[in-house]
Amino acid sequence: MILGVYWYFKFPENLYHFKYFKFLQGYGGHADNPAGLETKVQMDDIENFLYRLEILKAEFPYTYLQLKINGNQVMMTMGNDQLFDYYFQLAAEIEKLLTDQNAILLDEQIPFEIQYTKNYLPERKIFRTIEHRFIQMTGSDFRQNNAENFSIRVDCNIPLACKKDFINDLVAICHEENLSVFYYHDFYFGDQCNLMLFFTNGRQYKDQVIDIDINTFGAKVRDLSQKYPFHFGHFGGMKYYPLNGPYIELMVDEDYIIKKK
């Protein structure tokens, strides 16, 4: 599973600038749909373009790309529920090819008859059903440049006397499982503590995509229950909800992950 900074509802303002591609936002909810990047262009030497595009796409194995072709015209669409940086990097590289070909951007209202379609599927990854019920997968609201973040969340409570060592052991697990971001919120009551823990990564670029085995991570967190008297879930009602923090243990790309007060 790929965690980290992504875009879905809004375009990454100030980071990428496209001449040909437009951003198609996701809507979520009942109208759930992928976010995407799309363009419709015309060029003289489409065979040369398709040859160069095939070579380029091989450098971006985690992306989905669909081509709809009609003579010397092509409509290109890429999309996912999380558009990580490597999607925008691919679009930027395709734009260079289009510029080299002196491609003309077509009005999206012009009818487009599809002669044939070509799909470039993402590299097949092992599908992992989340085995641990205490793991929640969460998105975030907007951060810098409209970024969102896809994270693991774990709620638990633990005696205050054990908290420091418990947090240190979680940091060690993060290092083992290639998680570069770990922060938490807490709330103290008597000699106990409610914790809301977040684990994720930063921006995911073409040459440094991090794939997390979420079940291996979850098993290591669960095994800590043999060392510490902690329980999953929060103690008490809303008045004990852990809103203090965030307290940062590991961090990269902080402005894209932590909301400034």
Side-chain angles (χ1 to χ4, degrees):
M1 180 175 290
I2 299 174
L3 305 175
V5 175
Y6 72 97
W7 287 265
Y8 179 77
F9 289 109
K10 295 183 180 181
F11 184 77
E13 299 289 351
N14 306 313
L15 291 178
Y16 299 96
H17 305 276
F18 296 129
K19 173 183 176 182
Y20 294 100
F21 280 96
K22 68 174 182 178
F23 178 73
L24 306 174
Q25 72 176 66
Y27 289 96
H30 294 295
D32 186 38
N33 65 303
L37 294 161
E38 184 175 279
T39 187
K40 183 164 59 172
V41 295
Q42 177 176 305
M43 66 198 76
D44 292 333
D45 192 351
I46 193 166
E47 292 303 322
N48 178 262
F49 170 75
L50 294 176
Y51 171 75
R52 296 172 67 187
L53 179 63
E54 185 128 2
I55 295 172
L56 173 64
K57 175 61 181 68
E59 300 177 15
F60 293 84
Y62 289 103
T63 56
Y64 167 79
L65 175 65
Q66 181 185 70
L67 308 181
K68 297 177 181 177
I69 299 165
N70 176 27
N72 64 346
Q73 299 178 347
V74 58
M75 179 186 297
M76 288 176 280
T77 306
M78 59 183 80
N80 207 322
D81 290 328
Q82 291 103 20
L83 289 185
F84 296 101
D85 271 277
Y86 50 78
Y87 269 99
F88 298 97
Q89 288 180 294
L90 174 58
E93 293 300 317
I94 293 175
E95 291 232 334
K96 292 178 184 178
L97 296 184
L98 293 173
T99 299
D100 286 347
Q101 297 284 346
N102 296 312
I104 299 170
L105 182 63
L106 297 176
D107 189 315
E108 57 188 65
Q109 302 302 321
I110 295 176
F112 189 89
E113 180 181 344
I114 302 171
Q115 293 181 337
Y116 66 96
T117 300
K118 187 172 181 62
N119 291 315
Y120 295 92
L121 300 177
E123 184 176 278
R124 193 175 185 85
K125 300 195 294 288
I126 298 173
F127 177 76
R128 302 182 185 103
T129 301
I130 299 176
E131 299 171 354
H132 308 285
R133 299 180 66 179
F134 59 84
I135 286 179
Q136 305 172 59
M137 303 310 303
T138 65
S140 71
D141 54 9
F142 301 117
R143 303 295 191 260
Q144 182 167 293
N145 300 127
N146 296 326
E148 301 165 64
N149 194 266
F150 190 46
S151 305
I152 299 167
R153 172 178 161 178
V154 176
D155 294 340
C156 62
N157 61 84
I158 192 168
L160 277 175
C162 302
K163 177 192 169 187
K164 183 177 179 180
D165 289 339
F166 177 64
I167 294 294
N168 288 340
D169 281 353
L170 290 172
V171 170
I173 290 173
C174 288
H175 289 309
E176 294 168 359
E177 297 302 315
N178 294 318
L179 289 161
S180 56
V181 174
F182 169 34
Y183 64 95
Y184 67 92
H185 297 262
D186 66 15
F187 187 88
Y188 295 172
F189 50 97
D191 61 355
Q192 295 288 120
C193 179
N194 277 336
L195 293 169
M196 182 164 53
L197 312 167
F198 291 93
F199 308 88
T200 186
N201 283 311
R203 297 174 67 183
Q204 300 294 296
Y205 298 104
K206 165 194 167 186
D207 295 321
Q208 56 186 61
V209 179
I210 303 172
D211 189 11
I212 301 299
D213 187 330
I214 195 165
N215 290 322
T216 300
F217 167 79
K220 290 182 178 182
V221 173
R222 183 198 57 210
D223 288 348
L224 291 180
S225 63
Q226 300 174 25
K227 183 177 181 180
Y228 301 103
F230 82 91
H231 300 90
F232 293 112
H234 292 149
F235 174 85
M238 286 302 297
K239 68 177 182 177
Y240 299 113
Y241 197 72
L243 293 177
N244 299 320
Y247 303 105
I248 296 171
E249 296 295 324
L250 298 171
M251 183 57 61
V252 296
D253 299 323
E254 181 173 348
D255 290 341
Y256 292 86
I257 294 170
I258 299 296
K259 191 167 188 176
K260 303 299 182 183
K261 293 183 179 180

